[in-house]
Amino acid sequence: MEHALSPATLAELRRPRPYPAVSVLTPTHRREPENGQDPVRLRNVVTEARKRLEADPSVTRERRNDVVAQLDRALAEVDLAHAEDGLVIFAAPGEHQVWSLARTVPERVVLSDTFLTRNLVAAQAAERPFWVLSVSADRITLWSGGEDRVVPDGSAGFPLERRQQNFDAERQMQIGDQPSTFRDEGTRQFLREADTAMAALLRDQPRPLYVTGEQAALSLLDEAGSVARNAVQVPHGGLAHAGPDAVWQALLPVLEAEARKDTTSVVRELTSARGRRTYAAGLDELWQSARDGRVRLLAVEENFRAAVRDLGEHLMPAAAGDLDARDDIVDEIVEQCLETGADVRFVPDGTLGDADGIAAVLRY
């Protein structure tokens, strides 16, 4: 199942497909007893997709059989034992994808000539993806981080390994000569290569960057280029050769501290916007502002969801069971704001006070 949504991947998902491009969404659960319902709900929503294909007179038998086969293959790839909070299946003639999301999604089936991506985009923004570069004299490892994990990432040629005759980083550590390792010109060149590769990746996929390593390694990487200077430095050695759990545990206190700083900064900006009359709050006002491209900074409480009925000029809360409700309106606003270049931040529940879960700083 897919987790990381890069700009190139999103662009590929959004390109037009031959009709029908089927999007199947269903909420999932991480723990018992709630996850007991997931297999049944998944089968039911995929069955609904098949019925919709059968009932659509514009879909030829050949194309219907192709898409149904893609749905079946996607279903076989779903791993509910490692489910998160939402599942998205895309199927079109000749292709399928399965996405696991750390954010809940509405249960729905959509047939169109494009895939429904707004829930993926909102989940990616909520997860606050980041990069981790773990540096040592002989190995530099890249990790892709999210809400509750880091995983090894092979982008930009990482991990980089330095293999050199008579170079024994482990022996140098044992004899206490590690600082001299980082005075070696070969090590300096190795770190310059890592800086160049990481800088290129950040241009293509900009995210916050955390750099881990011995202080000597961090200092030399600082001298080698620019990425370490603009990163959060974590002086913790050994992680270039470690597993993801060790990296996550080393980073967790730093991530929590950065999240607190980020929330404080968002609240400060919203308070300042009130004084400048560039503040907006609530779904109705922000839905319009997002469509007009007026939002500069959007703040959303982490678990804020709402089902609404779109009346054209206004949104109103939807009654339970309303079949015309738009129950992912928050994700729609998030995606629209990101499309127009806004900065989107997710903050802890209760942070926004009387703003009903969502607030913004407007451009004008």
Side-chain angles (χ1 to χ4, degrees):
M1 294 194 290
E2 304 281 353
H3 293 275
L5 185 68
S6 69
T9 301
L10 180 59
E12 166 61 21
L13 286 174
R14 283 177 165 167
R15 68 172 175 81
R17 259 82 179 169
Y19 185 86
V22 180
S23 302
V24 176
L25 290 75
T26 185
T28 52
H29 303 83
R30 297 172 187 250
R31 298 176 183 86
E32 296 179 343
E34 293 84 0
N35 61 6
Q37 63 184 286
D38 291 349
V40 175
R41 293 187 70 166
L42 177 58
R43 283 197 301 271
N44 288 346
V45 74
V46 171
T47 298
E48 172 63 21
R50 293 193 187 102
K51 289 179 179 177
R52 296 271 296 276
L53 288 166
E54 288 279 354
D56 191 332
S58 66
V59 181
T60 65
R61 180 179 179 182
E62 181 183 9
R63 185 159 289 180
R64 180 175 64 245
N65 290 342
D66 185 346
V67 176
V68 167
Q70 296 296 333
L71 282 171
D72 289 340
R73 293 188 187 113
L75 195 59
E77 293 174 11
V78 172
D79 180 11
L80 290 177
H82 297 92
E84 297 178 276
D85 303 304
L87 185 71
V88 178
I89 293 174
F90 295 134
E95 63 174 320
H96 67 273
Q97 292 190 37
V98 179
W99 288 82
S100 177
L101 308 182
R103 180 173 169 84
T104 191
V105 298
E107 186 173 289
R108 65 186 307 187
V109 175
V110 177
L111 273 62
S112 184
D113 58 358
T114 58
F115 292 138
L116 184 68
T117 60
R118 61 175 172 254
N119 304 97
L120 270 69
V121 172
Q124 180 83 346
E127 196 171 59
R128 305 182 186 94
F130 56 89
W131 297 115
V132 184
L133 198 65
S134 295
V135 178
S136 72
D138 63 332
R139 180 180 173 88
I140 300 177
T141 306
L142 178 68
W143 311 88
S144 177
E147 186 177 38
D148 58 2
R149 64 180 180 269
V150 296
V151 295
D153 194 291
S155 300
F158 288 101
L160 301 182
E161 294 190 348
R162 180 183 176 210
R163 301 197 180 279
Q164 174 181 322
Q165 193 172 11
N166 299 326
F167 177 75
D168 188 344
E170 184 175 348
R171 177 176 177 275
Q172 288 176 318
M173 288 178 68
Q174 289 171 348
I175 65 175
D177 193 35
Q178 192 181 19
S180 67
T181 301
F182 293 101
R183 290 195 293 269
D184 172 71
E185 182 53 36
T187 305
R188 292 174 182 272
Q189 178 60 33
F190 181 56
L191 295 182
R192 281 194 289 270
E193 292 171 6
D195 180 88
T196 300
M198 193 69 225
L201 179 60
L202 288 169
R203 284 193 296 271
D204 185 49
Q205 297 186 48
R207 300 183 189 178
L209 173 64
Y210 297 81
V211 181
T212 76
E214 298 288 346
Q215 188 58 59
L218 297 178
S219 298
L220 190 56
L221 187 64
D222 233 347
E223 296 173 16
S226 61
V227 297
R229 293 174 212 160
N230 299 317
V232 177
Q233 297 190 14
V234 183
H236 189 302
L239 298 180
H241 295 270
D245 289 343
V247 176
W248 177 254
Q249 292 304 320
L251 276 175
L252 190 55
V254 182
L255 294 170
E256 291 172 344
E258 289 295 310
R260 288 192 294 271
K261 285 166 54 179
D262 188 59
T263 298
T264 300
S265 171
V266 169
V267 171
R268 189 182 300 120
E269 287 206 54
L270 291 170
T271 302
S272 176
R274 286 180 186 265
R276 299 194 309 270
R277 298 185 179 180
T278 55
Y279 173 85
L283 286 172
D284 202 19
E285 187 173 2
L286 285 178
W287 173 234
Q288 187 60 52
S289 297
R291 288 189 294 180
D292 292 342
R294 295 180 60 201
V295 176
R296 180 176 69 78
L297 167 68
L298 180 73
V300 185
E301 291 185 353
E302 286 167 349
N303 292 300
F304 177 55
R305 312 290 296 179
V308 300
R309 179 183 279 268
D310 186 355
L311 302 180
E313 293 296 318
H314 299 284
L315 302 176
M316 66 174 289
D322 186 342
L323 297 179
D324 293 322
R326 299 170 74 159
D327 50 6
D328 56 355
I329 192 67
V330 176
D331 287 358
E332 289 190 56
I333 292 172
V334 168
E335 185 187 43
Q336 186 63 47
C337 288
L338 289 169
E339 282 287 300
T340 55
D343 185 8
V344 176
R345 313 278 188 90
F346 284 79
V347 297
D349 294 347
T351 299
L352 302 180
D354 61 357
D356 292 329
I358 190 166
V361 179
L362 302 180
R363 292 187 170 105
Y364 56 91

mmCIF file of all heavy atoms in Angstrom, residues 126-158:
data_model
loop_
_atom_site.group_PDB
_atom_site.id
_atom_site.type_symbol
_atom_site.label_atom_id
_atom_site.label_comp_id
_atom_site.label_asym_id
_atom_site.label_seq_id
_atom_site.Cartn_x
_atom_site.Cartn_y
_atom_site.Cartn_z
ATOM 1 N N ALA A 126 -1.946 16.879 6.845
ATOM 2 C CA ALA A 126 -2.152 16.637 8.271
ATOM 3 C C ALA A 126 -1.003 15.848 8.880
ATOM 4 O O ALA A 126 -0.680 15.997 10.056
ATOM 5 C CB ALA A 126 -3.471 15.892 8.489
ATOM 6 N N GLU A 127 -0.390 14.988 8.069
ATOM 7 C CA GLU A 127 0.687 14.143 8.583
ATOM 8 C C GLU A 127 1.985 14.914 8.767
ATOM 9 O O GLU A 127 2.909 14.450 9.414
ATOM 10 C CB GLU A 127 0.911 12.957 7.643
ATOM 11 C CG GLU A 127 1.728 11.843 8.275
ATOM 12 C CD GLU A 127 1.776 10.586 7.428
ATOM 13 O OE1 GLU A 127 2.243 10.668 6.285
ATOM 14 O OE2 GLU A 127 1.347 9.536 7.913
ATOM 15 N N ARG A 128 2.092 16.119 8.211
ATOM 16 C CA ARG A 128 3.284 16.957 8.324
ATOM 17 C C ARG A 128 4.542 16.187 7.920
ATOM 18 O O ARG A 128 5.428 15.938 8.744
ATOM 19 C CB ARG A 128 3.457 17.486 9.752
ATOM 20 C CG ARG A 128 2.285 18.233 10.318
ATOM 21 C CD ARG A 128 2.623 18.729 11.720
ATOM 22 N NE ARG A 128 1.482 19.328 12.373
ATOM 23 C CZ ARG A 128 0.651 18.682 13.194
ATOM 24 N NH1 ARG A 128 0.845 17.393 13.423
ATOM 25 N NH2 ARG A 128 -0.351 19.303 13.756
ATOM 26 N N PRO A 129 4.657 15.769 6.675
ATOM 27 C CA PRO A 129 5.823 14.974 6.270
ATOM 28 C C PRO A 129 7.127 15.744 6.440
ATOM 29 O O PRO A 129 7.163 16.973 6.306
ATOM 30 C CB PRO A 129 5.544 14.667 4.797
ATOM 31 C CG PRO A 129 4.619 15.749 4.346
ATOM 32 C CD PRO A 129 3.774 16.083 5.540
ATOM 33 N N PHE A 130 8.182 15.023 6.755
ATOM 34 C CA PHE A 130 9.491 15.648 6.931
ATOM 35 C C PHE A 130 10.564 14.662 6.480
ATOM 36 O O PHE A 130 10.309 13.473 6.292
ATOM 37 C CB PHE A 130 9.711 16.058 8.401
ATOM 38 C CG PHE A 130 9.564 14.931 9.388
ATOM 39 C CD1 PHE A 130 10.645 14.133 9.733
ATOM 40 C CD2 PHE A 130 8.335 14.663 9.979
ATOM 41 C CE1 PHE A 130 10.514 13.084 10.637
ATOM 42 C CE2 PHE A 130 8.194 13.625 10.886
ATOM 43 C CZ PHE A 130 9.277 12.826 11.216
ATOM 44 N N TRP A 131 11.760 15.188 6.295
ATOM 45 C CA TRP A 131 12.915 14.363 5.957
ATOM 46 C C TRP A 131 13.840 14.266 7.162
ATOM 47 O O TRP A 131 13.941 15.211 7.947
ATOM 48 C CB TRP A 131 13.713 14.954 4.797
ATOM 49 C CG TRP A 131 13.018 15.059 3.481
ATOM 50 C CD1 TRP A 131 12.696 16.203 2.804
ATOM 51 C CD2 TRP A 131 12.576 13.972 2.643
ATOM 52 N NE1 TRP A 131 12.078 15.910 1.621
ATOM 53 C CE2 TRP A 131 11.989 14.547 1.491
ATOM 54 C CE3 TRP A 131 12.619 12.588 2.774
ATOM 55 C CZ2 TRP A 131 11.453 13.780 0.468
ATOM 56 C CZ3 TRP A 131 12.078 11.811 1.754
ATOM 57 C CH2 TRP A 131 11.510 12.404 0.627
ATOM 58 N N VAL A 132 14.525 13.141 7.283
ATOM 59 C CA VAL A 132 15.587 12.972 8.272
ATOM 60 C C VAL A 132 16.827 12.482 7.538
ATOM 61 O O VAL A 132 16.761 11.514 6.774
ATOM 62 C CB VAL A 132 15.217 11.939 9.360
ATOM 63 C CG1 VAL A 132 16.316 11.886 10.427
ATOM 64 C CG2 VAL A 132 13.867 12.261 9.988
ATOM 65 N N LEU A 133 17.941 13.156 7.755
ATOM 66 C CA LEU A 133 19.219 12.748 7.183
ATOM 67 C C LEU A 133 20.119 12.338 8.342
ATOM 68 O O LEU A 133 20.436 13.160 9.204
ATOM 69 C CB LEU A 133 19.834 13.915 6.406
ATOM 70 C CG LEU A 133 20.938 13.578 5.403
ATOM 71 C CD1 LEU A 133 20.384 12.718 4.271
ATOM 72 C CD2 LEU A 133 21.568 14.845 4.848
ATOM 73 N N SER A 134 20.482 11.050 8.389
ATOM 74 C CA SER A 134 21.343 10.536 9.452
ATOM 75 C C SER A 134 22.758 10.373 8.901
ATOM 76 O O SER A 134 22.983 9.614 7.949
ATOM 77 C CB SER A 134 20.819 9.199 9.971
ATOM 78 O OG SER A 134 19.561 9.370 10.603
ATOM 79 N N VAL A 135 23.689 11.084 9.525
ATOM 80 C CA VAL A 135 25.028 11.250 8.962
ATOM 81 C C VAL A 135 26.069 10.528 9.803
ATOM 82 O O VAL A 135 26.085 10.629 11.035
ATOM 83 C CB VAL A 135 25.379 12.760 8.891
ATOM 84 C CG1 VAL A 135 26.787 12.960 8.344
ATOM 85 C CG2 VAL A 135 24.366 13.496 8.046
ATOM 86 N N SER A 136 26.945 9.787 9.135
ATOM 87 C CA SER A 136 28.163 9.253 9.761
ATOM 88 C C SER A 136 29.284 9.371 8.736
ATOM 89 O O SER A 136 29.062 9.787 7.604
ATOM 90 C CB SER A 136 27.967 7.800 10.205
ATOM 91 O OG SER A 136 27.924 6.933 9.074
ATOM 92 N N ALA A 137 30.494 8.986 9.126
ATOM 93 C CA ALA A 137 31.641 9.137 8.227
ATOM 94 C C ALA A 137 31.610 8.168 7.060
ATOM 95 O O ALA A 137 32.234 8.417 6.027
ATOM 96 C CB ALA A 137 32.941 8.959 9.008
ATOM 97 N N ASP A 138 30.872 7.040 7.211
ATOM 98 C CA ASP A 138 30.896 6.032 6.147
ATOM 99 C C ASP A 138 29.518 5.732 5.563
ATOM 100 O O ASP A 138 29.413 4.993 4.593
ATOM 101 C CB ASP A 138 31.521 4.739 6.657
ATOM 102 C CG ASP A 138 30.713 4.096 7.778
ATOM 103 O OD1 ASP A 138 30.025 4.842 8.508
ATOM 104 O OD2 ASP A 138 30.769 2.867 7.935
ATOM 105 N N ARG A 139 28.445 6.295 6.142
ATOM 106 C CA ARG A 139 27.106 6.020 5.628
ATOM 107 C C ARG A 139 26.191 7.200 5.954
ATOM 108 O O ARG A 139 26.229 7.739 7.065
ATOM 109 C CB ARG A 139 26.537 4.732 6.245
ATOM 110 C CG ARG A 139 25.132 4.369 5.746
ATOM 111 C CD ARG A 139 24.662 3.087 6.425
ATOM 112 N NE ARG A 139 23.261 2.780 6.125
ATOM 113 C CZ ARG A 139 22.848 2.074 5.075
ATOM 114 N NH1 ARG A 139 23.732 1.582 4.216
ATOM 115 N NH2 ARG A 139 21.563 1.830 4.879
ATOM 116 N N ILE A 140 25.365 7.581 4.980
ATOM 117 C CA ILE A 140 24.385 8.653 5.188
ATOM 118 C C ILE A 140 23.036 8.122 4.716
ATOM 119 O O ILE A 140 22.867 7.760 3.549
ATOM 120 C CB ILE A 140 24.777 9.936 4.433
ATOM 121 C CG1 ILE A 140 26.149 10.414 4.928
ATOM 122 C CG2 ILE A 140 23.720 11.018 4.631
ATOM 123 C CD1 ILE A 140 26.680 11.631 4.223
ATOM 124 N N THR A 141 22.092 8.068 5.645
ATOM 125 C CA THR A 141 20.794 7.450 5.394
ATOM 126 C C THR A 141 19.710 8.508 5.365
ATOM 127 O O THR A 141 19.705 9.431 6.185
ATOM 128 C CB THR A 141 20.473 6.412 6.485
ATOM 129 O OG1 THR A 141 21.546 5.485 6.581
ATOM 130 C CG2 THR A 141 19.190 5.659 6.170
ATOM 131 N N LEU A 142 18.773 8.358 4.436
ATOM 132 C CA LEU A 142 17.620 9.255 4.337
ATOM 133 C C LEU A 142 16.381 8.527 4.842
ATOM 134 O O LEU A 142 16.150 7.366 4.506
ATOM 135 C CB LEU A 142 17.415 9.682 2.878
ATOM 136 C CG LEU A 142 16.204 10.585 2.600
ATOM 137 C CD1 LEU A 142 16.400 11.963 3.224
ATOM 138 C CD2 LEU A 142 15.961 10.716 1.097
ATOM 139 N N TRP A 143 15.582 9.232 5.631
ATOM 140 C CA TRP A 143 14.332 8.703 6.154
ATOM 141 C C TRP A 143 13.195 9.646 5.780
ATOM 142 O O TRP A 143 13.356 10.865 5.798
ATOM 143 C CB TRP A 143 14.380 8.583 7.684
ATOM 144 C CG TRP A 143 15.588 7.896 8.227
ATOM 145 C CD1 TRP A 143 16.789 8.468 8.545
ATOM 146 C CD2 TRP A 143 15.727 6.502 8.511
ATOM 147 N NE1 TRP A 143 17.655 7.521 9.003
ATOM 148 C CE2 TRP A 143 17.045 6.303 9.002
ATOM 149 C CE3 TRP A 143 14.870 5.407 8.404
ATOM 150 C CZ2 TRP A 143 17.515 5.053 9.382
ATOM 151 C CZ3 TRP A 143 15.342 4.156 8.792
ATOM 152 C CH2 TRP A 143 16.652 3.986 9.277
ATOM 153 N N SER A 144 12.054 9.074 5.443
ATOM 154 C CA SER A 144 10.841 9.859 5.217
ATOM 155 C C SER A 144 9.982 9.732 6.464
ATOM 156 O O SER A 144 9.667 8.621 6.905
ATOM 157 C CB SER A 144 10.091 9.331 3.990
ATOM 158 O OG SER A 144 8.875 10.034 3.803
ATOM 159 N N GLY A 145 9.619 10.873 7.044
ATOM 160 C CA GLY A 145 8.889 10.869 8.305
ATOM 161 C C GLY A 145 7.476 11.371 8.154
ATOM 162 O O GLY A 145 7.163 12.181 7.277
ATOM 163 N N GLY A 146 6.597 10.881 9.048
ATOM 164 C CA GLY A 146 5.213 11.318 9.081
ATOM 165 C C GLY A 146 4.729 11.420 10.505
ATOM 166 O O GLY A 146 5.512 11.641 11.438
ATOM 167 N N GLU A 147 3.423 11.223 10.703
ATOM 168 C CA GLU A 147 2.813 11.478 11.996
ATOM 169 C C GLU A 147 3.333 10.558 13.098
ATOM 170 O O GLU A 147 3.518 10.980 14.230
ATOM 171 C CB GLU A 147 1.291 11.321 11.879
ATOM 172 C CG GLU A 147 0.538 11.709 13.125
ATOM 173 C CD GLU A 147 -0.961 11.612 12.925
ATOM 174 O OE1 GLU A 147 -1.427 10.681 12.241
ATOM 175 O OE2 GLU A 147 -1.669 12.469 13.468
ATOM 176 N N ASP A 148 3.595 9.301 12.768
ATOM 177 C CA ASP A 148 3.965 8.369 13.828
ATOM 178 C C ASP A 148 5.059 7.394 13.410
ATOM 179 O O ASP A 148 5.211 6.326 14.000
ATOM 180 C CB ASP A 148 2.740 7.580 14.302
ATOM 181 C CG ASP A 148 2.066 6.808 13.163
ATOM 182 O OD1 ASP A 148 2.579 6.873 12.019
ATOM 183 O OD2 ASP A 148 1.044 6.157 13.409
ATOM 184 N N ARG A 149 5.853 7.758 12.415
ATOM 185 C CA ARG A 149 6.861 6.800 11.955
ATOM 186 C C ARG A 149 7.886 7.496 11.063
ATOM 187 O O ARG A 149 7.647 8.585 10.533
ATOM 188 C CB ARG A 149 6.206 5.680 11.143
ATOM 189 C CG ARG A 149 5.561 6.170 9.853
ATOM 190 C CD ARG A 149 4.926 5.045 9.059
ATOM 191 N NE ARG A 149 4.314 5.558 7.841
ATOM 192 C CZ ARG A 149 3.058 5.945 7.749
ATOM 193 N NH1 ARG A 149 2.274 5.879 8.805
ATOM 194 N NH2 ARG A 149 2.568 6.398 6.616
ATOM 195 N N VAL A 150 9.018 6.832 10.899
ATOM 196 C CA VAL A 150 9.950 7.150 9.817
ATOM 197 C C VAL A 150 10.217 5.849 9.072
ATOM 198 O O VAL A 150 10.207 4.762 9.663
ATOM 199 C CB VAL A 150 11.277 7.761 10.324
ATOM 200 C CG1 VAL A 150 11.043 9.094 10.987
ATOM 201 C CG2 VAL A 150 12.006 6.812 11.253
ATOM 202 N N VAL A 151 10.453 5.958 7.770
ATOM 203 C CA VAL A 151 10.770 4.787 6.963
ATOM 204 C C VAL A 151 11.970 5.129 6.081
ATOM 205 O O VAL A 151 12.145 6.280 5.686
ATOM 206 C CB VAL A 151 9.576 4.351 6.076
ATOM 207 C CG1 VAL A 151 8.419 3.881 6.947
ATOM 208 C CG2 VAL A 151 9.119 5.481 5.158
ATOM 209 N N PRO A 152 12.813 4.140 5.772
ATOM 210 C CA PRO A 152 13.947 4.413 4.876
ATOM 211 C C PRO A 152 13.446 4.888 3.514
ATOM 212 O O PRO A 152 12.421 4.427 3.020
ATOM 213 C CB PRO A 152 14.648 3.055 4.756
ATOM 214 C CG PRO A 152 14.140 2.231 5.897
ATOM 215 C CD PRO A 152 12.766 2.722 6.194
ATOM 216 N N ASP A 153 14.177 5.820 2.928
ATOM 217 C CA ASP A 153 13.779 6.366 1.633
ATOM 218 C C ASP A 153 14.976 6.326 0.696
ATOM 219 O O ASP A 153 16.069 6.768 1.050
ATOM 220 C CB ASP A 153 13.264 7.808 1.801
ATOM 221 C CG ASP A 153 12.530 8.311 0.572
ATOM 222 O OD1 ASP A 153 13.193 8.526 -0.464
ATOM 223 O OD2 ASP A 153 11.296 8.491 0.636
ATOM 224 N N GLY A 154 14.747 5.815 -0.506
ATOM 225 C CA GLY A 154 15.828 5.673 -1.471
ATOM 226 C C GLY A 154 15.937 6.803 -2.467
ATOM 227 O O GLY A 154 16.643 6.676 -3.475
ATOM 228 N N SER A 155 15.249 7.936 -2.213
ATOM 229 C CA SER A 155 15.307 9.069 -3.140
ATOM 230 C C SER A 155 16.724 9.629 -3.225
ATOM 231 O O SER A 155 17.520 9.526 -2.284
ATOM 232 C CB SER A 155 14.350 10.173 -2.676
ATOM 233 O OG SER A 155 13.022 9.703 -2.620
ATOM 234 N N ALA A 156 17.024 10.238 -4.365
ATOM 235 C CA ALA A 156 18.277 10.982 -4.590
ATOM 236 C C ALA A 156 19.525 10.132 -4.373
ATOM 237 O O ALA A 156 20.599 10.653 -4.064
ATOM 238 C CB ALA A 156 18.318 12.226 -3.689
ATOM 239 N N GLY A 157 19.405 8.809 -4.528
ATOM 240 C CA GLY A 157 20.566 7.959 -4.417
ATOM 241 C C GLY A 157 20.928 7.521 -3.015
ATOM 242 O O GLY A 157 21.942 6.824 -2.819
ATOM 243 N N PHE A 158 20.140 7.918 -2.015
ATOM 244 C CA PHE A 158 20.422 7.483 -0.643
ATOM 245 C C PHE A 158 19.980 6.030 -0.447
ATOM 246 O O PHE A 158 19.071 5.559 -1.133
ATOM 247 C CB PHE A 158 19.679 8.393 0.345
ATOM 248 C CG PHE A 158 20.260 9.775 0.438
ATOM 249 C CD1 PHE A 158 19.657 10.831 -0.220
ATOM 250 C CD2 PHE A 158 21.409 10.014 1.183
ATOM 251 C CE1 PHE A 158 20.184 12.110 -0.138
ATOM 252 C CE2 PHE A 158 21.947 11.290 1.271
ATOM 253 C CZ PHE A 158 21.339 12.344 0.607
#
